């Protein structure tokens, strides 16, 4: 019990004295996961919107693929990204394994299906007739898509949050393709794993608290969105 | 451009979805400035026809002509859509303020803010929601939301307004108030309107013409009194509220009237049909009078049948009385009359109706 209390006490000291190492790791984590989420947003929202608004043969299959992708195990993504970026792998010439770029790629692959799936659902939950109403108001196809995205903005924000939440808390792929190099590819989760294995519970708890705060903020926003009503 | 007598015309219009023919309208003309109602039971094809006419749903075959020009060919689809407005049963408002909702059609057309503001305020006031401009559409009641939807439609000054069951989800007082405002708006702007409704009373008060639909086809089109009082067949008759529909055969033909045999009873009808023809007689319940005893002296009603009350159903303002008098007959009497006559099931009464109060359809069934 003492270990935990002592750990928590030291953790708060680290947090409130703005320990440079803790701060650096946090900032780097936000940068990597933020960039990965941004990339996934671009791909996921486009694909999600197109799949939601069009009918084509094999659509069900594509939707089930996206939904499966939402539960993609990060270690599997890590494994394949590692193989592809390995020195003599297909993309080995790029020489980016164990760099932040490799982490961003892996995290973007994890986040994209999540963002796609939630965007798809967000666009589909809009009333079907809303599209007709927008067209009847004289909109072009492009104007219609813009208005639909604006109408689904809150659930789409949920997609962003879920994507970000998925990658900021992910450890498997980051450690595999990033290598947890101090000051270079070390993020909140990989650092927590390492510090715990070393018995440095104070730092591990401090990092854990930061992760919890991030998770809490994400869920706070998601809950707000869920509780909102749609107009008639 | 040819000079058209109608603002909108459908020719050989067919909508086929999933192998079934949803709409089959060989010819329909909507006149400039008129209000046309499409009535009919659920699934009759009213909504589909409105969507095909507005080109929100591409017809499987046939043409839509707007002021004589073919939509989708001579007349661009987008251009056409910008001439019309549509209001659905659900208000389908955007997740923003009431003002922005009403402004949306104008903004889509790229109008300047000053112009938008003026038009929107005008429409907000027209539909009695001027005080709600800054409110979020999420907080509106059903009636306020539908008013916003109507204001949004009128804001773009449509040349044709399509209304698809616009009042079906509203409670009666709200509906009544909105219909009054809509009637006024249509009259003031002279907007050509096509409205789909399953409520014949709504159609009666709003329309210049009524088109009765069934099975994707227009089975009758005409003035409200035409469709209400002279239905072409039993299906229309039943839909427009004619409670007594009797099949019979013309026994004798006189000058100006015929004698029709219904279940062995003779009914005199002012109509023209040859003896031996099978006909359907339609008698509106409000045209049947009830009396406790047969009339003491000669009266003008040609049809007098003693019978027994088989069922009494209160309908609010009137009481529906079903009488067995050799054939089933329905009469509407006021609540007071029902009390004075002390009507109850099994009581003997005499039913009277005039020979002119009966409409004859020669087409027995379709």
């Amino acid at each position: 019990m003492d270990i935990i209390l002592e750990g928590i006490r030291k953790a708060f000291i680290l947090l409130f004295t703005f320990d440079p190492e803790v701060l650096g790791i946090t900032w780097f984590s936000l940068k990597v996961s933020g960039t990965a989420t941004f990339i996934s947003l671009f791909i996921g929202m486009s694909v999600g919107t197109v799949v939601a608004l069009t009918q084509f043969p094999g659509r069900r299959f594509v939707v089930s693929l996206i939904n499966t992708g939402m539960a993609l195990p990060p270690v599997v993504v890590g494994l394949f990204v590692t193989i592809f970026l390995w020195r003599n792998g297909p993309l080995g010439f790029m020489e980016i394994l164990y760099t932040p770029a490799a982490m961003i790629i892996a995290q973007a692959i994890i986040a994209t299906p999540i963002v796609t799936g939630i965007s798809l659902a967000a666009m589909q939950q809009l009333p079907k007739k809303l599209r007709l109403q927008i067209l009847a108001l004289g909109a072009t196809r492009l104007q219609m898509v813009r208005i639909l995205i604006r109408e689904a903005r809150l659930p789409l924000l949920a997609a962003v949050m879920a994507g970000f939440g998925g990658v900021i808390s992910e450890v498997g792929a980051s450690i595999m393709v990033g290598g947890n190099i101090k000051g270079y590819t070390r993020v909140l989760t990989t650092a927590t794993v390492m510090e715990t294995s070393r018995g440095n519970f104070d730092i591990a708890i401090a990092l854990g608290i930061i992760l919890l705060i991030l998770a809490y903020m994400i869920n706070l926003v998601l809950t707000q969105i869920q509780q909102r009503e749609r107009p008639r | 451009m040819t000079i058209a007598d109608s603002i909108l015309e459908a020719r050989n219009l067919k909508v086929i979805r999933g192998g079934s023919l949803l709409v089959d309208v060989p010819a329909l003309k909507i006149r400039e400035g008129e209000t046309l109602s499409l009535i009919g039971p659920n699934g009759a094809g009213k909504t589909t026809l409105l969507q095909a006419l507005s080109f929100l749903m591409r017809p499987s075959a046939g043409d839509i002509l707007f002021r004589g020009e073919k939509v989708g060919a001579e007349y661009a689809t987008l251009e056409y859509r910008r001439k019309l407005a549509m209001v659905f049963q659900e208000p389908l408002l955007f997740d923003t303020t009431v003002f922005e909702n009403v402004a949306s059609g104008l903004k889509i057309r790229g109008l300047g803010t000053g112009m938008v503001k003026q038009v929107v305020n005008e429409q907000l006031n027209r539909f009695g929601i001027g005080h709600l401009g800054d409110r979020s559409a999420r907080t509106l009641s059903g009636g306020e939301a539908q008013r916003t939807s109507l204001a949004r439609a009128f804001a773009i000054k449509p040349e044709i307004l399509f209304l698809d069951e616009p009042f079906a989800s509203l409670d009666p007082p709200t509906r009544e108030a909105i219909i009054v405002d809509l009637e006024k708006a249509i009259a003031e702007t002279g907007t050509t309107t096509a409205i789909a409704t399953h409520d014949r009373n709504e159609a009666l008060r709003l329309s210049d013409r009524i088109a009765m639909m069934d099975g994707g086809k227009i089975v009758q089109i005409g003035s409200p009194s035409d469709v209400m009082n002279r239905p072409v067949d039993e299906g229309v008759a039943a839909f427009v509220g004619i409670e007594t529909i009797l099949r019979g055969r013309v026994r004798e033909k006189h000058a100006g009237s015929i004698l029709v045999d219904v279940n062995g009873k003779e009914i005199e009808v002012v109509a023209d049909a040859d003896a031996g023809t099978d006909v359907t007689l339609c008698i509106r319940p409000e045209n049947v009078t009830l009396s406790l005893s047969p009339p003491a002296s000669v009266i003008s009603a040609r049809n007098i049948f003693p019978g027994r009350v088989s069922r009494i159903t209160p309908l609010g303002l009137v009481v529906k009385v079903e009488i067995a008098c050799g054939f089933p007959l329905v009469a509407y009497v006021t609540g007071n009359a029902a009390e004075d006559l002390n009507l109850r099931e099994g009581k003997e009464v005499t039913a009277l109706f005039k020979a002119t109060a009966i409409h004859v359809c020669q087409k027995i069934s379709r």
Side-chain angles (χ1 to χ4, degrees), chain A residues 127 129-141 143 147 150-151 153-154 228-232, chain B residues 51 56 78 81-82 84 86 88 90-95 104-105 108-109 137-138 140-142 145 152:
Chain A
K129 276 191 178 166
L130 192 61
R131 270 184 255 170
L132 293 181
Q133 177 70 80
I134 295 169
L135 289 177
L137 281 166
T140 61
R141 291 254 143 206
Q143 283 177 321
I147 294 174
R150 200 180 61 200
E151 281 304 294
R153 62 189 181 273
L154 289 169
R228 264 175 76 105
E229 265 180 72
R230 258 206 68 74
R232 288 162 187 272
Chain B
Q51 292 187 0
L56 290 175
L78 179 66
R81 274 210 224 98
R82 290 195 170 177
L84 56 88
M86 184 116 175
F88 294 87
E90 309 83 16
L92 296 169
L93 298 182
F94 301 127
D95 190 1
S104 55
I108 282 170
R109 285 162 179 73
R138 269 180 288 112
L140 299 178
S141 70
R152 175 171 67 180

Side-chain angles (χ1 to χ4, degrees), chain B residues 165-212:
Chain B
E165 299 273 9
F167 315 117
S169 338
L170 302 174
D171 58 76
T174 309
R175 177 184 322 191
E176 178 56 31
I178 293 188
I179 291 179
V180 170
D181 284 356
L182 174 66
E183 262 182 307
K184 212 169 125 222
I186 291 175
E188 282 171 4
T189 56
T191 310
T192 309
T193 308
I195 171 171
T197 174
H198 63 260
D199 183 332
R200 58 172 185 264
N201 294 321
E202 252 173 54
L204 268 175
R205 46 187 300 197
L206 287 167
S207 337
D208 299 308
R209 283 196 303 158
I210 292 179
M212 166 82 192

Side-chain angles (χ1 to χ4, degrees), chain A residues 70-86:
Chain A
M70 288 176 80
L72 210 56
V75 278
V76 177
V77 175
L79 169 65
F80 280 96
V81 173
T82 306
I83 292 173
F84 269 79
L85 296 179
W86 199 253

